[in-house]
Amino acid sequence: MPPTAAFDVAAQHRGGARRHARTARACRRRAAILGRALPSTRCPVPEAQAVAHDRDEFLGHPKGLFVCFFTEMWERFSFYGMKALLLLYLLKYHLFGDDAGYDLLGAYGGLVYAIPVIGGLLADRYLGMRKAVLLGGILLVLGHIGMAFEGEQARIVAGEVVRDEGALQVFYLSLALIIMGVGFLKPNISTIVGRLYPENDPRRDSGFTLFYAGINVGALFASLICAFLGETYGWSYGFGAAGVGMLAGLVMFVWGQKYLHGHAEPNDPDKLRERVGPLSREWWIYLGSLGGVAIVWQLIQRTWTVHGAMHIIALLLAVWFVYFLVTQCNRVQRQQMITLVLLIIGVLIFFTLYEQTYGSWVTFTDRLLTKDLFGAADNAYVPALPWAVYALAASPPLMIAALMASDRGRGDVAKGLVVLMGVGLFVAIAHDIVLVKQTAGSLTFLGAFFIVVLAPIFSWFWPWLEKRGLNPSKPAKMGIGLVFAGLAFLPMVAAAQYAGASDAMASVWWLVLAYFVLEIGEMCLSPIGLSAVTQLSVARVVGLMMGAFWLATAYSEVLAAGFGKLASIEVAEGATLDMAEAASKYSDLFWLMVWVGVGSGVVFLLLTPLARRWMHGVK
């Protein structure tokens, strides 16, 4: 998936710096759990700590982790479910041309990855993580409810496209609400996970691994449910399912507050309550978020504004960076900062390639690939709904029941409920992949599927290499990841050439192979993330460089849209798709992506020895 894991890395660094200052408060919270008075400067005795420890943990981790897991799972379910449908909805229902559809997709993606920089800062300084997540969740629910309103389908009258402008305005407003909601929720739910663990807790990494699994489970089920419903029964059903999922995540988060033990509260509540004019600072933030929705509502309709702003910001950052290197850095700092920017550029290139999965790969699949993985269309068995609907709907009550059973000391019952939930999810996925005919949007599940499959392998593989002194450096992993990202487009080239030569749909298994290779590339990049920013940046500008990292990710969405437009297909009214012409355009785009990925990867590999020296010991 896109760089969601880097949010988790950021959470670790943002949460760790303030941990010692919260020691006294943590002790008082544990005292409250035990129901006894303790001196404010002393922690509970070891026996009391053990009792609190048993009550507050499940499966070896804080119970708050599972609350965050399910909140994030549902948020990603809603986000990727909507994203899998977005481009197809624009092209097929509102009859956007390919160029306009790609432009809107790029503007939306760019804003989604830029706004969390602001949401994270506001939560850190004023709002606190709990209130930021609640605000983000409410905005997301409202946005997904709005997306379920279709209005009248666009039609062509006398050669002109006539659209329901009122429905389009609701659509744009819904996108704005989702963008702002992600901005407040996404960075802060990850930060809460980081705060659940004491400093240097050895379980921390495995906790984030579980949390990251929640991200990918949500993304996996999103495509299988939302995209399938949207393309099979109607767009409003797919978007509505995404909204119901986000509401479930919000309910789970509110219910599970007792397991967070105050870790998500504002750092300075008095500062938040302080009045600034007629209102408190907290209410100004809420009003500001609504003002931000209004601004984004207008921006998203003028995609050239968003794209142009991204270009300008990139130029300004480049100018500032050169100035900072020349005037503010010594030799070691200069070399480390150059290496950092090189890695950020690598991330930008990778996700420019990766985001084709929600752009040109989706339209190519829709137009030139078969959709049936295992011959389900030839069988008499046609399920009314994917089984994933039932399994995912059952997972929150099962998890809540498991945590409540654990609270009452019924550990065996709690574990049994979790096993039942896991078996149900596995059976549902297997059923839906094998027996349900897929759609162009639902096949985006392949990205999350291969992450789930490959993540355990790579989590073993990197330490195995490390023990033997063979673990590649960050620049080398970046180069390897980019090479694989480029190679992932070769199966797509083969599929395009087959479709063009035979005037028939190419096999969907070319797409499966492409996703497999692409996700190997992501597994190579995933250890880099924001940890490189904190390790290589000059300390006084680390916040700015983190912002630059996220803006680079946002900029990759804009660049991905620009590349996708190279394969835009415009079919005249009453005409049918010219498969040979379409296949030729897609083939040219995919070949370009091959050379961009492989070429930039080779450059990174050639620069690796120099970059390692310039990192000055940073691993």
Side-chain angles (χ1 to χ4, degrees):
M1 304 307 297
T4 46
F7 278 112
D8 310 335
V9 178
Q12 297 183 49
H13 292 287
R14 288 161 60 191
R18 293 184 294 271
R19 198 168 308 281
H20 291 296
R22 296 194 302 274
T23 300
R25 280 182 291 171
C27 291
R28 288 194 292 272
R29 281 194 295 272
R30 289 196 294 271
I33 293 172
L34 294 169
R36 64 177 72 177
L38 293 169
S40 60
T41 57
R42 295 180 59 193
C43 287
V45 293
E47 296 88 344
Q49 284 181 326
V51 175
H53 181 274
D54 291 340
R55 291 182 180 178
D56 192 43
E57 294 202 349
F58 181 55
L59 301 179
H61 288 276
K63 291 179 180 176
L65 171 67
F66 300 96
V67 174
C68 294
F69 174 102
F70 275 87
T71 304
E72 179 64 356
M73 183 192 77
W74 283 111
E75 187 272 332
R76 290 290 91 181
F77 172 86
S78 68
F79 177 77
Y80 285 111
M82 190 278 290
K83 192 173 182 180
L85 284 173
L86 182 56
L87 183 57
L88 295 171
Y89 176 61
L90 291 170
L91 301 183
K92 294 185 174 184
Y93 190 80
H94 289 296
L95 299 186
F96 279 43
D98 279 15
D99 281 0
Y102 285 125
D103 281 339
L104 183 57
L105 186 67
Y108 167 75
L111 290 170
V112 157
Y113 283 106
I115 298 298
V117 176
I118 301 172
L121 288 173
L122 287 173
D124 273 348
R125 296 186 180 182
Y126 304 113
L127 201 56
M129 311 308 157
R130 177 179 64 84
K131 293 183 177 182
V133 169
L134 287 174
L135 173 60
I138 291 169
L139 293 174
L140 279 164
V141 169
L142 293 174
H144 286 295
I145 290 173
M147 290 291 293
F149 176 74
E150 294 181 359
E152 293 186 13
Q153 183 166 359
R155 60 194 185 279
I156 298 177
V157 179
E160 297 292 330
V161 179
V162 178
R163 300 186 178 96
D164 185 339
E165 293 299 328
L168 272 176
Q169 287 303 313
V170 173
F171 166 72
Y172 290 130
L173 176 59
S174 301
L175 285 183
L177 286 164
I178 290 170
I179 289 166
M180 292 300 294
V182 172
F184 278 98
L185 189 150
K186 180 60 190 169
N188 295 305
I189 192 72
S190 304
T191 303
I192 295 172
V193 174
R195 291 187 172 188
L196 292 173
Y197 294 90
E199 187 98 16
N200 299 320
D201 191 322
R203 303 170 302 164
R204 193 175 235 264
D205 287 344
S206 61
F208 271 98
T209 300
L210 283 172
F211 180 72
Y212 191 37
I215 293 172
N216 291 294
V217 169
L220 173 57
F221 279 90
S223 301
L224 291 173
I225 294 175
C226 298
F228 176 85
L229 293 177
E231 293 181 80
T232 304
Y233 293 104
W235 305 104
S236 61
Y237 289 96
F239 292 129
V244 171
M246 187 60 246
L247 182 60
L250 189 59
V251 170
M252 184 76 180
F253 184 76
V254 173
W255 174 84
Q257 285 302 299
K258 60 183 178 180
Y259 297 118
L260 303 183
H261 302 302
H263 288 298
E265 296 306 308
N267 292 317
D268 189 348
D270 292 335
K271 192 173 185 180
L272 188 61
R273 289 192 293 266
E274 183 181 315
R275 296 187 73 82
V276 181
L279 298 172
S280 67
R281 183 173 277 109
E282 179 176 357
W283 278 102
W284 278 118
I285 292 174
Y286 296 148
L287 289 176
S289 68
L290 295 179
V293 169
I295 293 171
V296 173
W297 181 16
Q298 298 306 308
L299 287 176
I300 203 69
Q301 301 179 55
R302 298 163 178 82
T303 55
W304 60 269
T305 305
V306 178
H307 290 229
M310 292 289 181
H311 296 322
I312 293 171
I313 291 171
L315 179 62
L316 292 176
L317 278 173
V319 171
W320 169 83
F321 181 72
V322 172
Y323 165 80
F324 185 80
L325 283 184
V326 173
T327 64
Q328 306 294 314
C329 297
N330 58 38
R331 185 182 66 87
V332 172
Q333 291 173 332
R334 188 176 300 116
Q335 292 175 349
Q336 288 183 326
M337 288 286 282
I338 291 173
T339 305
L340 172 58
V341 169
L342 184 69
L343 295 175
I344 290 176
I345 292 172
V347 169
L348 186 154
I349 296 171
F350 178 85
F351 285 104
T352 297
L353 300 176
Y354 190 100
E355 284 305 314
Q356 297 302 317
T357 58
Y358 287 97
S360 62
W361 284 24
V362 169
T363 59
F364 178 76
T365 303
D366 185 57
R367 293 162 176 165
L368 298 177
L369 289 184
T370 62
K371 317 297 185 292
D372 205 359
L373 288 169
F374 295 99
D378 301 327
N379 298 330
Y381 171 70
V382 180
L385 289 174
W387 284 13
V389 173
Y390 309 111
L392 208 60
S395 62
L398 284 173
M399 191 70 239
I400 289 173
L403 292 176
M404 293 176 67
S406 176
D407 289 344
R408 295 191 295 268
R410 304 289 299 277
D412 291 340
V413 173
K415 292 176 182 177
L417 290 170
V418 171
V419 170
L420 177 63
M421 179 182 65
V423 170
L425 292 174
F426 176 80
V427 171
I429 290 174
H431 170 273
D432 293 348
I433 290 176
V434 175
L435 296 177
V436 176
K437 184 179 179 181
Q438 302 301 317
T439 66
S442 69
L443 283 165
T444 58
F445 87 86
L446 289 165
F449 174 79
F450 281 120
I451 285 182
V452 171
V453 171
L454 292 172
I457 298 173
F458 276 85
S459 65
W460 162 83
F461 183 58
W462 296 130
W464 184 84
L465 288 178
E466 182 69 30
K467 290 178 181 178
R468 289 156 179 79
L470 300 174
N471 195 14
S473 63
K474 284 182 169 65
K477 286 178 180 175
M478 181 67 71
I480 296 169
L482 287 169
V483 168
F484 272 99
L487 293 176
F489 285 83
L490 285 178
M492 304 299 283
V493 170
Q497 291 178 343
Y498 173 86
S502 64
D503 198 34
M505 296 283 192
S507 171
V508 68
W509 286 96
W510 289 114
L511 181 70
V512 175
L513 178 59
Y515 266 109
F516 174 70
V517 178
L518 182 65
E519 295 308 338
I520 291 176
E522 185 174 359
M523 288 295 99
C524 294
L525 266 81
S526 61
I528 297 173
L530 286 180
S531 61
V533 178
T534 59
Q535 291 174 302
L536 294 171
S537 176
V538 175
R540 65 181 179 276
V541 296
V542 66
L544 181 60
M545 294 308 295
M546 282 188 175
F549 179 94
W550 289 118
L551 290 172
T553 306
Y555 193 43
S556 71
E557 298 272 353
V558 173
L559 294 178
F563 280 115
K565 287 165 65 176
L566 297 176
S568 289
I569 308 294
E570 304 298 337
V571 181
E573 181 185 2
T576 58
L577 177 70
D578 185 330
M579 292 190 67
E581 180 185 357
S584 177
K585 279 196 169 186
Y586 281 112
S587 180
D588 290 344
L589 170 63
F590 296 153
W591 269 121
L592 177 59
M593 297 292 92
V594 170
W595 294 118
V596 169
V598 174
S600 59
V602 169
V603 170
F604 267 83
L605 290 173
L606 292 175
L607 290 176
T608 292
L610 178 63
R612 289 184 63 185
R613 289 199 300 272
W614 282 8
M615 290 169 72
H616 293 280
V618 172
K619 297 292 186 181

